[in-house]
Amino acid sequence: MNVPTTIGRIIYWVALVAILAFLIVPAVLVVVLSFSNDAGIAFPPATWGVNNYRTLISTPSWGDAALLSLGLAMAAAVISTIVAVPGAFALDRTRLSRFSALPFLGILPLLIPQAAYAVGLYLVMAKTGLLGSFWGLAAAHVAVCFPFVFVIARSGLARLNPDLELVAMTLGATRVQAWGGITLRLLVPAMLSGVLFAFLTSFDEAVFSSFLSGPGLVTLPKAIFDSVRLGVDPVITAIATTLMVFTAILMGIASILRRKDTSS
């Protein structure tokens, strides 16, 4: 028996289990605590039930915040896709592909610290009258959602053979018809995957919501942070559990779409 190899494997598995426990145990505790009927958050709960979920459903402020986050996420995902997909086509299927620095601009919002970006947007929106408005906040969300759709769309385009477009054009189709009838149709799984990632990014975004939203524009992440700052409300555990389930479902759908896109 090779002792150094055995010791190395033991260290590897211990480290792996420790990392997984660090990542998973907090989420499991939140799920367990969401079924507590205690007035505060304590583990283990003294009483069990679904009072936190009843409070979540019956409190209008939480429902309004969730609806606002859903609306912002859908708007940001759709606008990001409308902008990112043509941009990906332009950089991969036109002469703009010669400029290697342009794709870097597409992911630039991810490289700038979000708090610094929010301060800059605050100054711009204060001058343009968009501060504290739905569409101003949606535009800020688009800035951080766009790179995900852009990168996924370009990745999908890279796997599609340009010769398919050339064949269509030799048969009489214009370039735009070849893009729309062949390439865009084959790119649908990647586009849907990008939309889901953009939706989740916008839905979970809290920094821009804190800097750029007004008193009547409270998203769900901002409502959670405000609640924690003013006092730990047990209903937060129910919200967190619901969000984890919702996010897991969407990520599963995105994974299926990505797998379909890869195999096509």
Side-chain angles (χ1 to χ4, degrees):
M1 183 177 62
N2 192 331
V3 176
T5 301
T6 303
I7 294 175
R9 288 178 179 175
I10 293 173
I11 295 173
Y12 167 79
W13 283 108
V14 169
L16 180 62
V17 170
I19 292 171
L20 290 176
F22 181 79
L23 295 174
I24 296 173
V25 169
V28 173
L29 288 176
V30 169
V31 174
V32 172
L33 289 172
S34 70
F35 293 99
S36 169
N37 280 353
D38 296 348
I41 296 179
F43 186 86
T47 57
W48 299 87
V50 292
N51 282 352
N52 290 328
Y53 292 94
R54 288 174 182 160
T55 303
L56 174 61
I57 295 172
S58 61
T59 305
S61 59
W62 290 115
D64 293 341
L67 288 176
L68 177 60
S69 290
L70 284 172
L72 281 171
M74 288 189 288
V78 171
I79 295 172
S80 297
T81 304
I82 292 173
V83 176
V85 173
F89 268 93
L91 291 178
D92 284 72
R93 293 293 195 266
T94 69
R95 294 179 181 179
L96 289 176
S97 59
R98 301 173 184 175
F99 301 97
S100 58
L102 288 178
F104 173 77
L105 297 178
I107 62 171
L108 189 59
L110 295 180
L111 306 180
I112 302 175
Q114 205 163 348
Y117 205 177
V119 171
L121 286 175
Y122 180 92
L123 298 175
V124 172
M125 291 185 181
K127 293 291 186 181
T128 57
L130 290 174
L131 189 64
S133 68
F134 176 89
W135 290 109
L137 189 54
H141 282 205
V142 169
V144 293
C145 294
F146 170 86
F148 293 98
V149 186
F150 179 72
V151 170
I152 292 174
R154 289 200 69 208
S155 176
L157 276 174
R159 289 192 292 271
L160 298 180
N161 193 341
D163 291 342
L164 296 174
E165 301 166 13
L166 296 176
V167 171
M169 286 188 285
T170 58
L171 295 175
T174 64
R175 182 176 293 274
V176 174
Q177 289 174 333
W179 283 352
I182 297 176
T183 309
L184 191 62
R185 184 161 50 85
L186 295 174
L187 196 63
V188 167
M191 290 169 55
L192 292 177
S193 179
V195 167
L196 289 176
F197 275 104
F199 180 91
L200 289 173
T201 301
S202 174
F203 193 83
D204 291 335
E205 205 287 319
V207 177
F208 288 161
S209 300
S210 298
F211 273 87
L212 307 175
S213 62
L217 204 67
V218 180
T219 62
L220 189 57
K222 186 176 185 299
I224 293 173
F225 277 108
D226 290 344
S227 178
V228 172
R229 185 176 58 191
L230 299 174
V232 181
D233 188 346
V235 75
I236 293 176
T237 58
I239 297 172
T241 301
T242 304
L243 290 178
M244 282 191 287
V245 173
F246 179 66
T247 301
I249 292 172
L250 290 185
M251 290 299 293
I253 295 173
S255 178
I256 293 171
L257 291 172
R258 291 290 292 164
R259 192 177 299 114
K260 181 179 179 181
D261 178 49
T262 304
S263 61
S264 62

